[in-house]
Amino acid sequence: MLRVHDLTRRFGRLTALDRVSFEVAEATIHGLIGPNGSGKTTFFNLATGFLQPNAGKVFWGDREVTGLAPHHISRLGIARTFQNTSNFANLTLRDNLVVASRNRVQTSVLHRMLHLGSARSEEADHGRTADAILERFGIGHLAHTIAADLPGGTQKILGVAIALATGPRLLMLDEPLAGLNPAEKVQLMDILRSIRAEGLTLLLIEHDMKAIMQACDRITVLSYGTLLAEGSPAEISRDPATIKAYLGTEAA
Ligand SMILES: Nc1ncnc2c1ncn2[C@@H]1O[C@H](COP(=O)(O)OP(=O)(O)OP(=O)(O)O)[C@@H](O)[C@H]1O
């Protein structure tokens, strides 16, 4: 469903991503791992239009989407979170989700300005979507809390909930487990698995190897901007190049 071919991005003399090609299959959890600075976030930025590649192509299904603006990519059904928080700090949790849910509205602006019936019922739909997602993520009791007042872990969970509320087919999550306590990690990974079971696709950047190995169908490993290895969790966990790359950073 998402496919990149020879994707390359340079920052001055540094090649942050060097001719990387791989594919994310539909209804899978795909892990993107690699030591710090290996190009994972740069990949996310290129795939979602936040950065332009120097070379290479991004395909969404049969369609080439290289260089499209972020809002255009998100309308195609690709949602992402960021390493830090991804929310409107001054809105309540519920309003954050309502805003995200409106992202998929088809009703024209004029229709909405005239307060015609279907726009009103769409607003009710957004409210219902927001409430359902809040419950699903175990934060329904916080619906009317201002996002900025949440602890860091809950803000991360909210970021994933917001991304889901946009109605994507692919969810790209940048270190969703960072800052979560062990119980929150288990809860979020359970939710991600249930999202996959509904046919959505997930691409995760994550440093928590235990979670990655347990949840992923397939893993791509980057190192210094190049694709080091790709395979099932079992294959990756015994891949000599991957083991060396990780031991190398731990030893440093
Ligand atoms: N806007 C930028 N300008 C200059 N260099 C950048 C920029 N963005 C990333 N880099 C560099 O590109 C390389 C890859 O960075 P990137 O953030 O993609 O790595 P990462 O694998 O996501 O790392 P981490 O796990 O630490 O988040 C790093 O050397 C980084 O310093």
Side-chain angles (χ1 to χ4, degrees), residues 11 14 16 34-43 51 83 175 205 207:
F11 296 110
L14 176 87
N36 289 331
S38 55
K40 305 179 297 293
T41 300
T42 300
F43 174 87
L51 276 178
Q83 242 171 58
E175 296 192 36
I205 295 176
H207 287 290

Side-chain angles (χ1 to χ4, degrees), residues 33-38 40 207 209 220-229 236-252:
I33 67 170
N36 289 331
S38 55
K40 305 179 297 293
H207 287 290
M209 283 306 136
T220 297
V221 188
L222 296 179
S223 177
Y224 295 108
T226 61
L227 196 148
L228 193 67
I236 292 302
S237 61
R238 57 173 185 259
D239 175 66
T242 303
I243 293 166
K244 189 163 172 237
Y246 275 94
L247 288 178
T249 40
E250 272 169 28

Side-chain angles (χ1 to χ4, degrees), residues 2 4 7-9 11 14-18 20 22 24 30-51 58 80-83 171-178 203-209 212 216 218-229 236 242 245-246 249:
L2 180 73
V4 298
L7 205 58
T8 299
R9 171 70 199 204
F11 296 110
L14 176 87
T15 304
L17 217 60
D18 192 4
V20 166
F22 71 96
V24 178
H30 193 120
L32 184 60
I33 67 170
N36 289 331
S38 55
K40 305 179 297 293
T41 300
T42 300
F43 174 87
F44 266 35
N45 287 332
L46 292 170
T48 52
F50 284 85
L51 276 178
V58 182
R80 73 173 286 190
T81 63
F82 294 84
Q83 242 171 58
L171 257 180
M172 294 176 54
L173 308 178
D174 196 345
E175 296 192 36
L177 301 182
L203 178 60
L204 309 183
I205 295 176
E206 189 47 64
H207 287 290
D208 185 324
M209 283 306 136
I212 278 282
C216 288
R218 199 155 183 87
I219 297 172
T220 297
V221 188
L222 296 179
S223 177
Y224 295 108
T226 61
L227 196 148
L228 193 67
I236 292 302
T242 303
Y246 275 94
T249 40

Side-chain angles (χ1 to χ4, degrees), residues 70-81:
H71 69 272
H72 198 150
I73 302 248
S74 98
R75 295 257 158 179
L76 294 174
I78 301 178
R80 73 173 286 190
T81 63

Side-chain angles (χ1 to χ4, degrees), residues 27 29 136-137 164 171 186-202 215:
I29 299 182
R136 179 171 197 175
F137 282 78
L164 184 64
L171 257 180
V186 170
Q187 184 204 359
L188 184 58
M189 289 313 293
D190 282 347
I191 294 169
L192 298 187
R193 282 193 202 90
S194 74
I195 291 172
R196 170 185 57 185
E198 287 163 18
L200 265 72
T201 308
L202 294 110

